Amino acid sequence: MYRLIEFRILGAGAARYADEAREMVARILARIPGAESAAKALMYGQEQGVINCRFLSRKNGFAMLGLGPQGQHTVTAAAQLIAIELCRDLKVPVIIEDVKDGDVQIEPLPYKRRYEVRRLVHQKKPRHPQEADAARLQTVIERSLRRQALMLGLDVPQKLQIDVVSWQPSTPVPIAGKAYAASVKNVIFDANASLCGWWGFGYLLSRGYGAMHAQAAAQLQRAEKWEARHEIVA
């Protein structure tokens, strides 16, 4: 249900933030005749109002995530061309290091599981400023979850409950000209649902904001809980 394509850039300063990688790919595709449709699909592709292609940060390069059949096709069709053109543009080798396919799932639980989103844009329109609070973040997370589930044909548990536990303020995100979107970081929430695979919450998803790999997020929280208990016992 998703395809993750990881690009490795060999050389100094290889790591790319997701929004930087997106801008870089858009720039090289813009100058290639006939690549307009591929660029549009990668940057703005949607299915049922949900962004289905997203860029992600990586230590030695970046990654492209395609959700659903349409998103998977888009990232697959463009990957080889992007690697070749980036190699020419950056004057260093750029390789497709890995291609991973996986499922996105949601199942009800009789208890709540904890998840964490590293960076989340909760308000995109500067003329409608809203302060981040638990109610606002809960609304954004639940709405995003339901929209992605609908796009992928998944059934959301009827008695879904989401509780935002904590978050930290973060710097505004530039979107166009002098406009900025409001964001928070390290958002921790509990849900009575088992999430599997890649999920996205909030706005600017194609730039990598709001991205969460459910298994990794849940495992991190379990590890932190174990460490906290271990410290107390010791």
Side-chain angles (χ1 to χ4, degrees), residues 1-3 52 65-72 100-105 148-149 151-154 196 198-199:
M1 198 174 294
Y2 73 78
R3 170 159 289 186
N52 56 20
L65 174 69
L67 286 172
Q70 183 177 315
Q72 289 173 297
K100 300 175 182 177
D101 293 329
D103 292 327
V104 179
Q105 299 174 351
Q148 181 171 319
M151 187 264 280
L152 296 176
L154 303 176
C196 172
W198 284 97
W199 291 82

Side-chain angles (χ1 to χ4, degrees), residues 14 18 21 39 50 66 74 81 86 95 97 111 113 134 159 170 185 191 195 197 202 217 221:
V50 177
T74 298
L81 176 62
L86 280 180
I95 63 173
E97 186 173 46
Y111 57 89
R113 180 171 292 173
K159 297 182 180 180
S170 187
K185 63 182 181 180
L195 301 178
Q221 288 299 323

